[in-house]
Amino acid sequence: QLPMLHDIPCTVVCCLHPKDMALSTYCRLASVHKLVVHCNPATRHGQDLFTKHCIRFQSAGSAGLSRQEKQKQHMARGLPKQKPIPGVKQVVVVASGKGGVGKSTTAVNLALGIAANDPSKVVGLLDADVYGPSIPKLMNLRGNPELTDKNLMRPLVNYGIPCMSMGFLVDETAPIVWRGLMVMSAIEKLLRQVEWGPVDYLVVDMPPGTGDVQLSITQNVPIAGAVIVSTPQDIALLDARRGAEMFRKVHVPVLGFVQNMSVFQCPNCQHQSHIFGTDGARELARSLGVEVLGDIPLHMSIRETSDTGQPVVVSSPGSPEAGAYLRVAAEVVRRLAAPS
């Protein structure tokens, strides 16, 4: 039983609140108690009672459990259960810690590359960047999705890739000014209220960073693997590391890094320049114990074909730039097929 409140000075009562206090709050409670006792010697009378209660509370709640087991139980409490997306076999997320590194362009050409390497496979593309959807522009798609008899949205299709994006549901120039809960609701609809049909690989273009959307998707959907996109620049690599570590914390396999904008070749003299640095992503991947899936050059054709909605993999399939994406796609599929 808790000690009677009238036996303890009022400055300590606030520290002894509920009987069923979670074990995870024990350390914080003890710290507050120490602070109160240190600042007010008059509370010495309640210190022994408080200490005895805390010892009983700690021993009763942690009997037979290691620190790691207690942390695992606490983290698992209240987390949503992962449910597969109906009709989707494997989900691959393409992420980056920082915006502006070519993540969406890589996601689009990765999806097209997987389909080009093995036409028997059906590849879908989901734009999870609610605030800045890029897939409609990159895939040259416009219009609103139709609804099925079951009130599910039908993906829009181009180049044989079924696509879904928030950009299909709002005006092209309209800003999406939403709070977190509204964004989470939109992500849930894009995941669960779409008739994907039989899809072998669903490539998800994630928003930059390590925020709510990333956690929502990884906690609700089984993810087969994550592809991290980064330039070789040091400032981009800092955030790429954070992205990789985030996926590790939520137990999503990191398939590898894509080193984007790795080299620029002058179209006149063919001289190669490493504008953003040399092999920064390779060094980061080596330090994290993961692979580099491939290098994508900084080339005018990649930018031009992306802006016109004709990705380089489909508009110039024989070019060296398309070949770079096809090799990355082959490495991703190889890694997905490898035993974990």
Side-chain angles (χ1 to χ4, degrees):
Q1 294 182 352
L2 286 172
M4 297 300 292
L5 296 183
H6 60 73
D7 290 335
I8 307 171
C10 60
T11 50
V12 183
V13 170
C14 64
C15 302
L16 295 177
H17 209 37
K19 179 179 179 180
D20 296 323
M21 186 179 301
L23 181 61
S24 62
T25 64
Y26 169 77
C27 293
R28 187 188 306 171
L29 184 66
S31 298
V32 173
H33 167 69
K34 290 177 182 178
L35 178 63
V36 170
V37 172
H38 176 75
C39 295
N40 187 358
T43 60
R44 303 286 183 184
H45 170 66
Q47 183 174 8
D48 292 339
L49 294 174
F50 175 82
T51 304
K52 290 178 181 179
H53 166 66
C54 286
I55 292 174
R56 289 200 305 271
F57 175 76
Q58 186 182 30
S59 59
S62 60
L65 293 178
S66 67
R67 181 178 179 183
Q68 288 78 8
E69 289 171 335
K70 286 185 290 184
Q71 289 178 343
K72 186 176 181 181
Q73 286 185 2
H74 178 64
M75 291 298 295
R77 192 181 305 130
L79 291 179
K81 293 184 178 180
Q82 290 183 335
K83 294 185 295 184
I85 302 173
V88 176
K89 292 183 180 179
Q90 291 185 299
V91 178
V92 180
V93 297
V94 180
S96 66
K98 179 179 289 297
V101 297
K103 169 185 56 62
S104 295
T105 302
T106 301
V108 165
N109 284 285
L110 172 62
L112 292 166
I114 294 175
N117 286 337
D118 189 351
S120 67
K121 301 297 183 182
V122 179
V123 184
L125 185 58
L126 171 61
D127 189 352
D129 195 346
V130 173
Y131 292 115
S134 302
I135 298 305
K137 176 73 171 178
L138 291 167
M139 292 294 287
N140 195 26
L141 287 169
R142 293 178 182 84
N144 298 322
E146 297 179 352
L147 295 179
T148 68
D149 296 336
K150 296 181 180 179
N151 207 32
L152 299 177
M153 294 182 287
R154 284 197 179 98
L156 275 62
V157 181
N158 198 10
Y159 308 121
I161 305 294
C163 304
M164 181 52 61
S165 169
M166 180 57 63
F168 300 149
L169 307 177
V170 298
D171 187 75
E172 184 177 4
T173 59
I176 300 175
V177 188
W178 289 355
R179 293 186 183 275
L181 290 177
M182 297 177 68
V183 175
M184 295 305 100
S185 176
I187 290 295
E188 181 69 16
K189 287 179 171 58
L190 292 175
L191 289 172
R192 304 291 179 189
Q193 296 184 17
V194 176
E195 189 183 59
W196 288 106
V199 169
D200 296 288
Y201 303 101
L202 179 62
V203 177
V204 181
D205 179 21
M206 301 281 272
T210 56
D212 289 343
V213 174
Q214 287 83 350
L215 288 176
S216 180
I217 291 176
T218 55
Q219 290 176 353
N220 282 278
V221 178
I223 307 296
V227 175
I228 310 295
V229 181
S230 179
T231 64
Q233 188 178 6
D234 288 347
I235 194 69
L237 294 171
L238 289 174
D239 293 320
R241 176 184 288 274
R242 294 187 183 100
E245 294 293 355
M246 190 249 345
F247 284 115
R248 284 182 167 179
K249 284 182 179 294
V250 294
H251 308 293
V252 172
V254 177
L255 300 178
F257 281 78
V258 173
Q259 184 166 247
N260 199 26
M261 309 181 199
S262 60
V263 64
F264 171 75
Q265 181 171 296
C266 176
N268 297 320
C269 67
Q270 310 305 314
H271 175 72
Q272 291 188 344
S273 300
H274 298 275
I275 296 176
F276 295 104
T278 306
D279 289 338
R282 290 186 178 277
E283 294 173 4
L284 175 59
R286 191 180 304 113
S287 69
L288 294 174
V290 299
E291 296 185 18
V292 172
L293 301 170
D295 291 67
I296 308 298
L298 178 62
H299 200 279
M300 185 76 73
S301 66
I302 296 177
R303 196 272 302 168
E304 290 177 340
T305 56
S306 297
D307 286 348
T308 59
Q310 299 174 314
V312 68
V313 168
V314 293
S315 60
S316 303
S319 66
E321 300 77 49
Y325 284 115
L326 292 172
R327 288 190 292 273
V328 169
E331 280 298 308
V332 168
V333 172
R334 181 185 68 83
R335 292 282 294 162
L336 289 173
S340 57

